[in-house]
Amino acid sequence: MPQAQQSQTWFVARDINGFLGLVFDNLTVLSFLSGILVFVFKFPADIVYSRMFPGTALGVLFGDLVYTAMAIRLARKTGNPSVTAMPLGLDTPSTIGLALLVLGPAFVGLKSQGLADHDAAVMTWYVGMATMIYMGLLKLALSFAGGWLQRVIPQAGLLGSLAGVGVGLIGMTPLIDIFGMPLVGLMALGLIFYTLVARIRLPFNIPGVLASVVVGTTLYYVLAPHGIVGGTYQPPPPLHFDLSLPIPTLDFVRGLKPALAFLPLAIPFGLLTVVGGINVTESARAAGDDFNTRNILRTEAIATLIAGVCGGVAQTTPYIGQPAYKNMGSRAGYTLLTGLVVGIGGMLGGISFIVELIPRAVLAPILVFVALDIIIQAFEACPKRHAPAVAFAFFPTIARLLGIELGNPEYVPTDVFNKLLTAPGRSLPDLQVILALGNGFIISAMFWAAFLAKLIDRQLKKSAGYLLILAGLSFFGIIHSARGDGSMYLPWTLAEPGRQVPYQFTLAYAGVAIVFLILSLLPQDVEPPLAENA
């Protein structure tokens, strides 16, 4: 086929379907980022919309433009005009996780130190930018070692920890919004399930995501003024465009030191996008589009760095499901459109207008679908025998979710919280244990699943090795921190009864590791391990 003709096939009508799905995914993530900060933590909305959104959107614009160019170049190189670009957008687990676990707590902590709301919000913004810089640098370095990471950490650990985030954060939080407006939320959820889960086409092949958003939003603005959908009616926001250019700044330097305390939470999210990027590139290769893995990973790392330097607080990632976009008939145009709409919309204020216009109960079902997809993938991609390890990885995230709710002074007064945290008894205080299990939950979940998966495979020495890693991380509060903010420490500097946590947890993990090492030297009169495909 002549090259001139090939170059005309990178954009086709079916790119519109892919564009709608990808752009609403990004809008949903931005909606929950703003919703968690503004409504849960009472964060000033103007800081979110005018400072955080533009830089975050710029990262999406850069990444999608590069992925579009990669697809066009691959199509010309291979003579295959049906190449589908790799989809890129805001990473859902880390965006929600960092909002709940880093930005929100940082804002509350700064206010408790006496800072005014606006000053605390600006400093939190610096912390968010610095976190993106740390994650971007990590991802850039690991783009050269992604394969090694996959070999070192069992798949049950990587996918199980992410599935736990799907259960506890990505899935549960949106369900509260859906049932906060049951008529609107369930109608939107039903259409998402109908089209994306049951895979039934709507009349005229209308995209399911578009139908869900349009129907749900229309229902809200028709019924809410009459008090039918629950809650207080909020009229449509005025249409406005506030130019907020994502100008590079060194303000992130001011957040580098305080952001260090949150690295045990942030680093695993960056690690997972690297491994996820490897997996989705392999998925695209199996579908017929042979992208260079290192270039895919390097692009999303640079996009994260650009976002952080320009004020962004959410990392980008290649999305799972490139073959699905290929099945829609999309080529390279859908990523170009997504990048332009999200990027330019974020700079002009259009994205913030859409986020305010569409009720969260309408966008929430998209995240529920994402959560289900993540959970199912963890069980399907791992050997069946590792299912207990995948499920075991859920619990640290649940503990973290409980810790977030119990730590909210609106639910549990501070004096009651502190009393429960130090309550004497035959064991460590329940609240202290819940907080410790939740702190550093992504890392602990990965290694919980890793040691159990190796145990299931009768590899007792490797299982003991992961337990010893857990012991070392526990001693310094990298995981299982005894502090409410999840920060690291030297254990002997803690006050009682929190001081017992690092010593007890470390001894417990080390003790089990020693038992496994001893047992590995003895004859094992057990049933053989299940087959690889079991």
Side-chain angles (χ1 to χ4, degrees):
M1 181 181 294
Q3 182 167 323
Q5 186 175 350
Q6 291 177 21
S7 66
Q8 295 173 1
T9 60
W10 64 270
F11 187 94
V12 294
R14 291 187 178 182
D15 274 305
I16 300 300
N17 286 334
F19 157 70
L20 290 172
L22 188 57
V23 77
F24 275 119
D25 271 351
N26 281 277
L27 290 177
T28 301
V29 176
L30 287 171
S31 175
F32 273 81
L33 170 63
S34 62
I36 290 169
L37 292 178
V38 175
F39 296 107
V40 176
F41 292 101
K42 313 304 179 186
F43 203 93
D46 64 303
I47 301 295
V48 176
Y49 295 141
S50 65
R51 302 198 187 188
M52 294 181 173
F53 270 20
T56 300
L58 180 63
V60 176
L61 173 61
F62 172 83
D64 273 325
L65 288 179
V66 175
Y67 280 2
T68 300
M70 283 185 185
I72 296 173
R73 186 167 61 246
L74 182 61
R76 291 174 176 171
K77 177 181 177 181
T78 61
N80 176 15
S82 63
V83 169
T84 298
M86 186 72 72
L88 176 137
L90 299 174
D91 181 57
T92 303
S94 64
T95 301
I96 294 177
L98 293 176
L100 285 169
L101 308 173
V102 175
L103 299 175
F107 177 63
V108 172
L110 289 166
K111 287 202 300 181
S112 69
Q113 297 174 15
L115 290 181
D117 283 7
H118 183 272
D119 295 335
V122 171
M123 189 62 207
T124 300
W125 176 46
Y126 298 155
V127 171
M129 294 168 63
T131 302
M132 289 302 103
I133 298 299
Y134 284 133
M135 295 173 73
L137 291 174
L138 171 74
K139 289 158 64 172
L140 189 60
L142 293 181
S143 66
F144 299 93
W148 175 80
L149 289 170
Q150 283 184 300
R151 294 191 297 270
V152 170
I153 302 175
Q155 198 168 33
L158 292 168
L159 297 182
S161 59
L162 185 57
V165 175
V167 171
L169 298 179
I170 301 177
M172 188 62 204
T173 302
L175 277 176
I176 296 173
D177 288 293
I178 290 171
F179 284 90
M181 294 181 185
L183 182 57
V184 170
L186 278 177
M187 187 67 72
L189 182 65
L191 288 171
I192 290 292
F193 281 174
Y194 183 90
T195 56
L196 299 184
V197 178
R199 298 183 181 276
I200 306 172
R201 290 185 178 182
L202 290 171
F204 308 108
N205 202 24
I206 299 173
V209 174
L210 177 63
S212 173
V213 171
V214 170
V215 170
T217 304
T218 301
L219 277 176
Y220 175 78
Y221 286 109
V222 170
L223 301 179
H226 305 289
I228 298 177
V229 301
T232 303
Y233 172 64
Q234 298 291 332
L239 180 61
H240 59 87
F241 295 98
D242 297 323
L243 182 63
S244 299
L245 295 178
I247 300 173
T249 174
L250 293 177
D251 284 341
F252 70 86
V253 174
R254 301 176 63 181
L256 290 174
K257 184 176 180 179
L260 287 173
F262 299 103
L263 283 187
L265 295 171
I267 285 178
F269 282 123
L271 174 63
L272 285 169
T273 64
V274 172
V275 177
I278 297 170
N279 290 338
V280 299
T281 306
E282 287 300 318
S283 176
R285 186 172 291 118
D289 296 335
D290 190 9
F291 291 103
N292 182 285
T293 303
R294 183 173 294 177
N295 289 340
I296 292 292
L297 297 178
R298 188 181 298 150
T299 297
E300 67 123 335
I302 294 173
T304 298
L305 284 170
I306 289 174
V309 171
C310 296
V313 295
Q315 69 171 339
T316 55
T317 185
Y319 277 6
I320 296 171
Q322 189 267 1
Y325 288 103
K326 193 174 189 68
N327 290 335
M328 292 180 190
S330 299
R331 302 283 176 84
Y334 81 106
T335 49
L336 174 64
L337 288 175
T338 299
L340 292 175
V341 169
V342 174
I344 297 176
M347 300 176 201
L348 297 180
I351 293 297
S352 60
F353 168 76
I354 296 174
V355 165
E356 289 183 280
L357 176 69
I358 303 175
R360 286 173 61 193
V362 175
L363 292 173
I366 301 174
L367 288 185
V368 172
F369 169 74
V370 171
L372 291 176
D373 198 52
I374 291 171
I375 296 165
I376 293 167
Q377 183 198 39
F379 284 106
E380 289 183 343
C382 297
K384 184 178 179 181
R385 66 180 185 276
H386 288 168
V390 172
F392 190 44
F394 290 5
F395 296 116
T397 306
I398 296 173
R400 182 55 186 163
L401 183 63
L402 287 172
I404 292 171
E405 296 301 318
L406 293 173
N408 188 339
E410 295 183 4
Y411 300 147
V412 181
T414 302
D415 57 335
V416 176
F417 182 88
N418 292 332
K419 184 178 180 180
L420 292 172
L421 196 60
T422 57
R426 296 182 62 183
S427 63
L428 293 172
D430 288 351
L431 181 58
Q432 178 70 80
V433 173
I434 290 172
L435 291 178
L437 288 176
N439 287 331
F441 68 100
I442 292 287
I443 297 178
S444 58
M446 282 197 298
F447 288 113
W448 277 19
F451 96 76
L452 184 52
K454 292 303 179 183
L455 182 63
I456 292 169
D457 290 341
R458 314 294 195 257
Q459 298 180 27
L460 272 69
K461 292 181 180 178
K462 289 185 178 180
S463 180
Y466 287 117
L467 284 165
L468 290 175
I469 292 173
L470 285 163
L473 296 176
S474 298
F475 193 65
F476 298 103
I478 298 173
I479 62 172
H480 304 320
S481 173
R483 291 176 173 169
D485 60 2
S487 59
M488 296 175 281
Y489 45 67
L490 297 174
W492 50 87
T493 63
L494 297 174
E496 292 290 348
R499 183 183 301 173
Q500 297 184 42
V501 170
Y503 291 102
Q504 292 289 332
F505 278 46
T506 300
L507 288 172
Y509 282 127
V512 178
I514 292 171
V515 169
F516 284 0
L517 288 172
I518 294 173
L519 290 174
S520 71
L521 303 176
L522 304 176
Q524 297 179 28
D525 185 15
V526 296
E527 296 179 2
L530 294 173
E532 180 63 29
N533 60 356

